[in-house]
Amino acid sequence: MIKNNYHNFHIPVMGIGFTIDTPLKVAPLGIDSVISIVDDTIIEQMREHYIKLNQQPYLEISKKDPDYRERRITDYLNLINQLVIEKFQKIQNQAFEEGSEINNYFELLPKHSELSTQFYKMLEETDRSKKEFIQEHLRSEMKCGSIDVNIMAKIDTTTYDKAGNALPEIYNDAMSALRAFANTDLNASVVLSAGYNPRLYNYIETFNDFLPNGSGELKKKVILKVSDYRSAAIQGKILAKKGIWISEFRIESGLNCGGHTFATEGKLLGPILEEFKTERTQLQEELFTLCQEALKESGRFLFQKKPHLRITAQGGIGTSMEHDFLMNHYELDATGWGSPFLLVSEVTNVDDATRNQLAQARKEDYYVSTASPLGVPFNNFHNTSSQKLLKERIDKNRPGSPCHKKFLTFDGEFTEKDICTASRQYQHLKLKQLEESNLSAEEYEQKSKSILEKECLCEGLAVSAVLVHNEEKPKQITAVSVCPGPNLAYFSGKFSLKEMVQHIYGQNNLLNSLNRNHMFVNELEMYMDYLKKEINNCGGIFNKKQARYFKNFKISLFEGINYYKDLFSSFYSEAEELLLKHTNALKTYPEF
């Protein structure tokens, strides 16, 4: 593990609009964060906002312009980069005074870090020349946080020209987003999440910034968000054989996370992190060998030394003790803290009404839904304005949403071109099909409820950004969806950036009064509930594939529980009773 003097946490992507300008707020203070680049419409609105805010002339990039999606994303990211650099340099040149942003930069650092130690030594220094010498050294050591971007690899829908003809696949959503990032001035990383997309992975190697330059360095890096070691190793090797180095594996809990959930086959986060720890050196060696061979064969520059392979984890972390334990026991490079920052207005774009709801929420307000048009379980929050709009449409017998953006158009059951299951068109056709199926009233109610629950996430997860900045357009849908991880139930109120960072580093405690188990136990309970629900959905009748799946799931859970029994014995005595309870409960589940 490479340790440095800077922050050992990052702020992951949240929704579409919640972190769309977060780097502008935290990168000048040395904190890494991630922008979603799925929605070029919101990106263009935010580009307009910041250009006008900085009193510069705004020239719209219209949907009528060639390759408009790539140009919108590229120009926005370059703008954010420029503004971050300007803000950082302004902070860097400030006087060290109480309440100044440069003081804040160093006050946010972990107290055990070298730079933090030097900063507090400078404050106590009485000799003027020595004090100024330390100050200049501190300024020279300051670094911006990274402006990283996220692409959901499977959100790669086909685009069409005005005549309805499909454009070449390089204009697909994920492909154009990748090209946009590759064409920016950024020295940063792209986070690839939500699965493997062969054509997108093939596309990466066509951009020189993802390959080593003459000095053996990378201008742009690839981060893979994964939920288990096997997936990481497979995808890492696929890219290494193209000469693409994976700079970081970002491990996320399958269920204890915000947004979409992708349950592993009963494999829990602790054992997964243990496997990464055990196999890390071998994986690094193997990927490096494959990468160098591919670069040599294609006649490209080689790495001059073995690049570092970062391992980070995120999903459900709630205390500084958990943060420190993950960092030390599993030798991580950093952890990710997402949902708690939804309560920090300095960091995320959350409209006042939604943030007030989150600040006062009860534990039961957080739930797993089938609201996503992707057909993947989705962590949701009760009584959002998006859900209220959805109900109003149903009450008016006009269910579904107008589908303007078409990022989630994956269903081809009724139409030649795929459409979104949250769209008015799909829901009208699907409900009509149900009415003609001679179902019982109970069956119709159950199936229609599943259809009508689908939310327009393209609008709901994006619009908060423009609401916060008062940039909504006429007729723009302003209903907000929010997808916090269940861990947010243990935080109540609204906090400053400094308060949240101090919580992460153990300098204060922002948890509410709810009894909270260790993050590993919380995740285990989610997996137990998930397995029980999946078994019940089968009605006690299992085909061979289901039986094999449930059997492996149970075995993995038993293995995880035994791992935790050994792990917790040295520091978490309260866990023994909980683990025994879950062991006994798991034994009551059917045998397969």
Side-chain angles (χ1 to χ4, degrees):
M1 178 175 61
I2 293 180
K3 292 181 179 291
N4 56 41
N5 297 328
Y6 305 101
H7 293 284
N8 53 25
F9 78 94
H10 61 261
I11 301 173
V13 68
M14 284 181 271
I16 297 171
F18 300 126
T19 58
I20 201 165
D21 58 353
T22 293
L24 183 55
K25 303 167 184 179
V26 302
L29 296 171
I31 298 171
D32 297 347
S33 60
V34 187
I35 293 174
S36 168
I37 55 173
V38 66
D39 187 342
D40 59 275
T41 301
I42 290 294
I43 282 174
E44 182 65 9
Q45 286 183 255
M46 294 299 291
R47 191 177 75 87
E48 178 182 4
H49 168 74
Y50 279 113
I51 286 177
K52 291 181 176 178
L53 188 66
N54 287 272
Q55 299 180 331
Q56 298 296 318
Y58 166 69
L59 296 176
E60 179 187 7
I61 300 173
S62 167
K63 288 190 175 183
K64 297 178 182 178
D65 295 336
D67 208 7
Y68 70 88
R69 177 171 166 79
E70 182 273 330
R71 289 181 54 206
R72 285 176 166 184
I73 298 170
T74 299
D75 285 11
Y76 177 70
L77 293 176
N78 281 339
L79 174 64
I80 293 295
N81 186 42
Q82 175 192 336
L83 295 175
V84 165
I85 291 171
E86 291 173 359
K87 189 173 181 180
F88 173 74
Q89 290 175 344
K90 181 179 178 181
I91 294 173
Q92 195 174 30
N93 292 322
Q94 285 179 346
F96 284 90
E97 297 174 345
E98 185 175 350
S100 65
E101 287 186 284
I102 192 168
N103 274 31
N104 189 37
Y105 179 101
F106 291 98
E107 289 167 356
L108 289 173
L109 294 172
K111 287 296 179 285
H112 57 74
S113 69
E114 183 181 339
L115 275 189
S116 177
T117 302
Q118 292 176 3
F119 170 72
Y120 287 102
K121 179 181 177 182
M122 180 275 295
L123 292 182
E124 296 173 359
E125 182 59 64
T126 57
D127 183 284
R128 182 175 176 178
S129 61
K130 290 182 179 179
K131 193 180 191 76
E132 290 178 350
F133 177 81
I134 299 174
Q135 288 178 348
E136 289 310 305
H137 172 70
L138 290 171
R139 286 193 176 93
S140 70
E141 290 295 311
M142 292 173 68
K143 294 180 181 178
C144 269
S146 187
I147 307 172
D148 297 329
V149 303
N150 183 85
I151 296 175
M152 291 184 70
K154 293 293 182 69
I155 308 300
D156 197 24
T157 51
T158 302
T159 56
Y160 298 86
D161 62 20
K162 293 178 183 178
N165 301 310
L167 293 172
E169 65 179 22
I170 64 166
Y171 296 103
N172 288 6
D173 287 340
M175 303 280 276
S176 57
L178 178 69
R179 182 170 66 258
F181 173 66
N183 289 335
T184 65
D185 301 330
L186 289 171
N187 186 343
S189 300
V190 57
V191 183
L192 299 176
S193 64
Y196 170 52
N197 179 341
R199 65 188 174 201
L200 183 69
Y201 282 31
N202 289 334
Y203 199 36
I204 298 174
E205 65 175 313
T206 65
F207 299 101
N208 288 332
D209 276 7
F210 291 107
L211 301 167
N213 59 21
S215 301
E217 298 173 345
L218 296 171
K219 182 175 182 180
K220 291 183 172 65
K221 300 176 182 178
V222 175
I223 296 173
L224 285 187
K225 187 190 289 185
V226 295
S227 56
D228 60 63
Y229 179 81
R230 180 176 177 272
S231 172
I234 291 172
Q235 293 185 71
K237 290 173 186 176
I238 288 171
L239 285 166
K241 290 176 181 178
K242 304 176 189 299
I244 302 298
W245 177 253
I246 304 303
S247 296
E248 177 183 332
F249 287 109
R250 188 162 288 186
I251 308 157
E252 183 172 66
S253 168
L255 296 182
N256 196 6
C257 60
H260 292 93
T261 64
F262 299 89
T264 61
E265 201 171 89
K267 294 181 179 179
L268 303 174
L269 185 59
I272 290 169
L273 293 176
E274 190 70 45
E275 187 172 12
F276 271 93
K277 177 183 176 180
T278 302
E279 302 294 335
R280 179 178 189 164
T281 300
Q282 181 178 334
L283 179 62
Q284 183 182 22
E285 292 286 347
E286 189 171 359
L287 294 182
F288 180 66
T289 299
L290 291 172
C291 208
Q292 290 287 76
E293 288 175 352
L295 292 169
K296 184 176 181 181
E297 185 176 337
S298 62
R300 289 161 167 160
F301 293 117
L302 302 181
F303 289 104
Q304 295 182 5
K305 61 179 180 179
K306 189 185 307 174
H308 180 56
L309 176 63
R310 283 171 55 87
I311 305 292
T312 66
Q314 60 193 46
I317 308 169
T319 69
S320 62
M321 290 182 63
E322 290 173 351
H323 167 78
D324 291 342
F325 174 75
L326 293 175
M327 292 290 297
N328 296 324
H329 183 78
Y330 296 108
E331 300 176 2
L332 299 181
D333 293 277
T335 65
W337 288 67
S339 296
F341 278 102
L342 292 172
L343 301 174
V344 182
S345 61
E346 295 170 72
V347 174
T348 54
N349 293 311
V350 182
D351 62 289
D352 290 340
T354 302
R355 203 184 312 267
N356 287 335
Q357 285 181 285
L358 293 171
Q360 302 168 27
R362 302 163 299 170
K363 189 173 182 179
E364 53 266 32
D365 291 326
Y366 302 90
Y367 71 108
V368 178
S369 73
T370 59
S372 172
L374 289 178
V376 177
F378 181 73
N379 272 317
N380 216 330
F381 183 74
H382 282 300
N383 297 318
T384 61
S385 54
S386 178
Q387 291 171 359
K388 291 174 183 176
L389 177 61
L390 185 149
K391 186 176 184 302
E392 288 173 9
R393 288 169 171 164
I394 294 172
D395 291 343
K396 293 177 180 178
N397 201 29
R398 291 276 289 166
S401 176
C403 190
H404 300 304
K405 296 180 177 178
K406 305 187 186 304
F407 295 128
L408 301 180
T409 52
F410 295 109
D411 190 281
E413 182 179 0
F414 301 108
T415 54
E416 184 177 345
K417 293 180 183 177
D418 288 350
I419 58 176
C420 177
T421 57
S423 70
R424 184 165 294 157
Q425 180 184 12
Y426 173 84
Q427 294 194 4
H428 170 76
L429 293 169
K430 193 65 178 177
L431 289 172
K432 184 179 179 182
Q433 182 190 67
L434 281 187
E435 290 168 359
E436 297 171 351
S437 299
N438 296 319
L439 300 174
S440 67
E442 183 179 348
E443 287 178 308
Y444 179 84
E445 177 69 21
Q446 182 182 2
K447 292 190 175 183
S448 63
K449 182 179 178 181
S450 176
I451 295 166
L452 296 172
E453 187 181 9
K454 296 291 185 285
E455 291 186 45
C456 178
L457 300 184
C458 294
E459 301 285 0
L461 293 179
V463 74
S464 62
V466 293
L467 291 178
V468 168
H469 295 290
N470 298 311
E471 293 289 355
E472 61 268 33
K473 301 291 185 183
K475 297 184 180 180
Q476 185 169 9
I477 297 171
T478 57
V480 175
S481 303
V482 65
C483 50
N487 188 51
L488 191 57
Y490 302 102
F491 293 83
S492 299
K494 302 175 187 178
F495 309 108
S496 68
L497 171 62
K498 180 169 285 188
E499 286 174 326
M500 189 58 69
V501 173
Q502 287 175 339
H503 174 82
I504 293 170
Y505 291 144
Q507 295 157 29
N508 65 20
N509 180 17
L510 301 182
L511 294 182
N512 58 30
S513 59
L514 284 178
N515 180 48
R516 182 184 180 279
N517 293 319
H518 190 278
M519 59 178 288
F520 286 167
V521 176
N522 283 338
E523 186 202 46
L524 169 61
E525 291 177 345
M526 292 173 198
Y527 270 92
M528 294 282 288
D529 291 342
Y530 177 87
L531 176 59
K532 186 175 182 180
K533 183 178 179 180
E534 291 296 298
I535 291 173
N536 290 339
N537 286 342
C538 293
I541 301 173
F542 313 101
N543 59 37
K544 289 183 179 180
K545 183 178 179 180
Q546 290 169 328
R548 184 168 60 251
Y549 172 77
F550 290 137
K551 179 180 179 180
N552 291 336
F553 204 111
K554 281 185 65 177
I555 290 172
S556 293
L557 285 182
F558 276 125
E559 290 174 348
I561 290 171
N562 289 330
Y563 170 84
Y564 286 146
K565 285 179 181 177
D566 293 336
L567 180 70
F568 288 151
S569 62
S570 60
F571 73 95
Y572 185 36
S573 57
E574 294 87 350
E576 185 174 351
E577 185 177 343
L578 290 167
L579 293 175
L580 179 62
K581 170 187 169 184
H582 291 308
T583 302
N584 292 334
L586 195 55
K587 289 177 180 177
T588 67
Y589 289 10
E591 293 295 330
F592 301 98

